[in-house]
């Protein structure tokens, strides 16, 4: 397997560029290219085909790790705020999409490889704050 590829759509907010590769979130100064921080996720066996980016609301970033975890980070520091398991990688579910923020909700999608194409998605939503109870 070679070097990881950037398959995410970068997010530019207030001069900071956020992007992902599988198991990592990066924050760079958009003018200088200097790394401000990076977040390392220890994967437990997810599909490492790619990660499509982060969602943001206020001072918080949201992303999906390939092994089924939905994670929130502080945008300024990259410090983990919370994490919630949303899919079981052992059942062939995968989580590579970028979360989407709509109003007070963060919407995430879970894919699965057990069906024939087109793959069915399993949408989930949570309050963007500390509450991580998922709505199905």
């Amino acid at each position: 397997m070679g070097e990881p590829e950037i398959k995410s759509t970068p997010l530019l907010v207030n001069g900071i560029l956020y992007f992902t590769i599988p198991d990592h979130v990066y924050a760079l100064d958009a003018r200088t290219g200097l790394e401000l921080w990076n977040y390392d996720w220890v994967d437990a066996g997810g599909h490492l085909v790619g990660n499509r980016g982060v969602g943001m609301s206020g001072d918080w970033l949201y992303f999906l790790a390939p092994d089924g975890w939905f994670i929130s980070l502080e945008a300024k520091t990259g410090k983990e705020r919370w994490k919630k398991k949303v899919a079981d990688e052992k059942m062939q579910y995968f989580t590579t999409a970028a979360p989407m923020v709509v109003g007070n909700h963060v919407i995430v999608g879970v894919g699965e490889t057990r069906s024939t194409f087109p793959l069915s998605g399993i949408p989930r939503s949570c309050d963007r704050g500390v509450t991580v109870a998922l709505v199905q």
Side-chain angles (χ1 to χ4, degrees):
M1 188 166 155
E3 292 293 316
E5 295 180 22
I6 298 173
K7 296 182 179 180
S8 68
T9 300
L11 179 65
L12 178 63
V13 178
N14 296 327
I16 300 174
L17 187 66
Y18 302 95
F19 67 93
T20 62
I21 60 173
D23 301 328
H24 301 279
V25 179
Y26 290 89
L28 303 178
D29 182 301
R31 293 190 191 283
T32 65
L34 292 175
E35 182 179 302
L36 302 173
W37 56 260
N38 79 59
Y39 175 84
D40 250 347
W41 174 256
V42 178
D43 189 272
H47 297 274
L48 297 176
V49 296
N51 188 284
R52 307 300 186 228
V54 297
M56 186 173 193
S57 180
D59 296 329
W60 303 325
L61 293 173
Y62 303 93
F63 83 104
L64 289 163
D67 57 350
W69 286 93
F70 177 33
I71 302 162
S72 178
L73 306 175
E74 291 180 6
K76 291 179 184 170
T77 65
K79 179 182 175 190
E80 186 178 297
R81 296 179 54 234
W82 50 255
K83 62 186 177 213
K84 174 80 175 174
K85 189 76 166 174
V86 296
D88 185 350
E89 74 282 358
K90 292 175 183 61
M91 305 255 330
Q92 297 302 305
Y93 291 106
F94 59 91
T95 46
T96 61
M100 181 173 52
V101 177
V102 178
N104 273 351
H105 291 274
V106 181
I107 300 169
V108 297
V110 176
E112 52 97 4
T113 58
R114 296 176 296 160
S115 65
T116 58
F117 285 98
L119 297 177
S120 60
I122 304 168
R124 307 230 194 272
S125 172
C126 83
D127 181 295
R128 66 182 177 86
V130 178
T131 306
V132 292
L134 295 172
V135 178
Q136 297 187 38

